[in-house]
């Protein structure tokens, strides 16, 4: 496995791979890798001849600079995990390498980019699209792998792929969410939880899971209110938002339609740490 910091060096390596007609998979990450990331890398290794994993903490998608400063940075451990997973290249560039000058491009894909996370974190998805499009242009992968924990992000990236004209060259592969044994969705942010916070964080998924059965005999509004009530009743947890939406448009629904998903963000602890999750109700 090679660790590369420079775009030109990575592109030279990939040029040689393409001359041999090798397929290329890309797994974009911000580092602080865990078993969930490993599952994406292993899938790419299985599907492709060559796997590139980017490890880049992208500043343009953080509207809260304190959140950026707190985000874990564990490159050495990340590389050990990636080598064990069979990755071929780790692309770990500096901010100056990715953004040699300020990126003023604006990406807006309503409603997918403007609801939920888009509404609560202004500029977040624009930053995501800036860095992901840069990575797509640099690597030109055949397939790119994203975890379903960031479910809304996948919907936005699919719109991005069409917008930049790569829809006939690039396949977005959605990989199932990976959970801890107690149900907590694996996330790099989990590293920031204290022992006490880690103990209550699984209650988020517990409330979501319980609400699926509840939803079979209750309305969307009743289910929505129950989830918020159950989570907010736990000391140390506070719901930022919980939306029950159409799985395609991401717009809120009032009835149980063919494809319905519940998306939630919860503040955990006193710092606090922002945790996201989702549950499928129908479809």
């Amino acid at each position: 496995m090679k660790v590369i910091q420079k775009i030109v060096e990575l592109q030279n390596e990939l040029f040689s791979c393409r001359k041999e007609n090798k397929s290329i998979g890309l797994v974009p990450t911000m580092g602080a890798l865990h078993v969930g990331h490993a599952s994406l890398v292993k899938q790419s290794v299985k599907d492709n001849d060559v796997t590139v994993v980017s490890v880049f903490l992208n500043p343009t998608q953080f509207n809260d600079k304190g959140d950026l400063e707190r985000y874990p940075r564990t490159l050495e451990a990340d590389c050990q995990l990636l080598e064990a997973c069979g990755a071929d290249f780790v692309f770990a560039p500096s901010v100056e390498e990715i953004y040699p000058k300020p990126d003023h491009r604006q990406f807006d894909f309503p409603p997918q980019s403007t609801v939920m996370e888009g509404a609560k974190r202004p500029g977040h998805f624009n930053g995501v699209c800036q860095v992901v499009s840069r990575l797509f242009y640099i690597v030109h992968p055949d397939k790119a792998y994203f975890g379903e924990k960031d479910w809304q992000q996948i919907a936005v990236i699919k719109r991005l792929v069409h917008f930049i004209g790569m829809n006939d060259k690039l396949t977005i592969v959605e990989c199932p969410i990976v959970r801890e044994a107690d149900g907590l969705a694996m996330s790099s942010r989990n590293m920031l939880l204290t022992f006490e916070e880690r103990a209550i964080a699984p209650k988020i998924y517990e409330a979501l899971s319980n609400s699926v059965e509840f939803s079979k005999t209750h309305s969307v509004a009743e289910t929505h209110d129950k989830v918020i009530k159950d989570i907010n009743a736990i000391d140390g947890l506070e719901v930022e938002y919980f939306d029950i939406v159409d799985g395609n448009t991401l717009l809120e629904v009032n009835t149980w339609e063919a494809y319905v998903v519940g998306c939630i963000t919860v503040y955990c602890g006193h710092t606090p740490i922002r945790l996201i999750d989702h549950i499928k109700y129908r479809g």
Side-chain angles (χ1 to χ4, degrees):
M1 186 183 79
K2 293 185 178 181
V3 180
I4 296 174
Q5 285 83 36
K6 296 297 183 180
I7 292 171
V8 65
E9 183 180 349
L10 177 64
Q11 290 182 325
N12 286 339
E13 292 280 1
L14 295 178
F15 179 75
S16 298
C17 295
R18 288 195 188 88
K19 284 179 66 177
E20 298 174 14
N21 294 316
K22 291 182 177 180
S23 59
I24 298 170
L26 170 66
V27 183
T29 84
M30 293 205 299
L33 306 184
H34 49 68
V35 175
H37 295 108
S39 69
L40 306 183
V41 178
K42 289 176 181 178
Q43 188 62 51
S44 178
V45 170
K46 179 181 176 182
D47 294 346
N48 303 280
D49 299 313
V50 175
T51 291
V52 179
V53 182
S54 63
V55 178
F56 177 68
L57 188 53
N58 177 42
T60 70
Q61 68 190 70
F62 286 83
N63 60 327
D64 179 351
K65 298 306 179 185
D67 193 19
L68 173 62
E69 291 169 4
R70 288 192 300 269
Y71 202 90
R73 294 159 171 83
T74 58
L75 181 60
E76 184 176 346
D78 293 345
C79 289
Q80 291 175 359
L81 181 148
L82 293 173
E83 187 162 27
C85 290
D88 298 284
F89 300 104
V90 175
F91 180 45
S94 65
V95 173
E96 293 73 22
E97 186 71 8
I98 292 294
Y99 301 116
K101 58 183 179 180
D103 192 338
H104 297 300
R105 294 176 300 159
Q106 293 294 314
F107 298 94
D108 191 21
F109 304 118
Q112 286 88 351
S113 66
T114 55
V115 298
M116 296 186 294
E117 290 294 287
K120 295 297 184 179
R121 302 174 68 185
H124 169 68
F125 283 124
N126 187 65
V128 168
C129 290
Q130 285 177 344
V131 71
V132 171
S133 61
R134 285 282 287 149
L135 292 170
F136 286 168
Y137 289 138
I138 291 166
V139 177
H140 287 281
D142 299 288
K143 295 180 179 179
Y145 295 76
F146 296 88
E148 289 182 347
K149 184 183 76 68
D150 296 308
W151 185 76
Q152 184 179 5
Q153 176 177 276
I154 293 174
V156 172
I157 288 170
K158 286 180 176 178
R159 292 282 304 274
L160 170 69
V161 170
H162 281 270
F163 181 77
I164 63 179
M166 287 190 171
N167 48 297
D168 59 342
K169 305 171 185 175
L170 171 60
T171 301
I172 300 299
V173 181
E174 303 175 41
C175 297
I177 191 169
V178 178
R179 298 186 180 276
E180 302 283 1
D182 56 14
L184 178 63
M186 287 194 174
S187 169
S188 300
R189 295 177 188 273
N190 294 351
M191 298 180 188
L192 302 175
L193 298 172
T194 66
F195 179 81
E196 294 77 13
E197 291 163 354
R198 178 62 184 80
I200 62 172
K203 297 293 184 181
I204 300 168
Y205 185 61
E206 181 179 317
L208 291 174
S209 297
N210 291 340
S211 74
V212 174
E213 187 64 28
F214 182 86
S215 74
K216 295 177 182 178
T217 54
H218 294 79
S219 69
V220 170
E222 289 169 329
T223 303
H224 171 272
D225 293 346
K226 174 178 171 56
V227 169
I228 293 177
K229 180 180 178 181
D230 288 352
I231 293 177
N232 283 348
I234 300 165
D235 186 38
L237 296 181
E238 182 180 358
V239 175
E240 180 184 25
Y241 70 81
F242 175 55
D243 290 349
I244 299 178
V245 301
D246 179 283
N248 294 309
T249 66
L250 276 59
L251 295 175
E252 291 187 32
V253 298
N254 297 313
T255 60
W256 296 118
E257 300 173 358
Y259 182 21
V260 181
V261 179
C263 301
I264 197 163
T265 295
V266 178
Y267 290 113
C268 181
H270 300 292
T271 307
I273 306 303
R274 195 171 183 271
L275 303 176
I276 67 173
D277 208 338
H278 70 274
I279 195 89
K280 185 184 291 185
Y281 287 108
R282 304 289 189 273

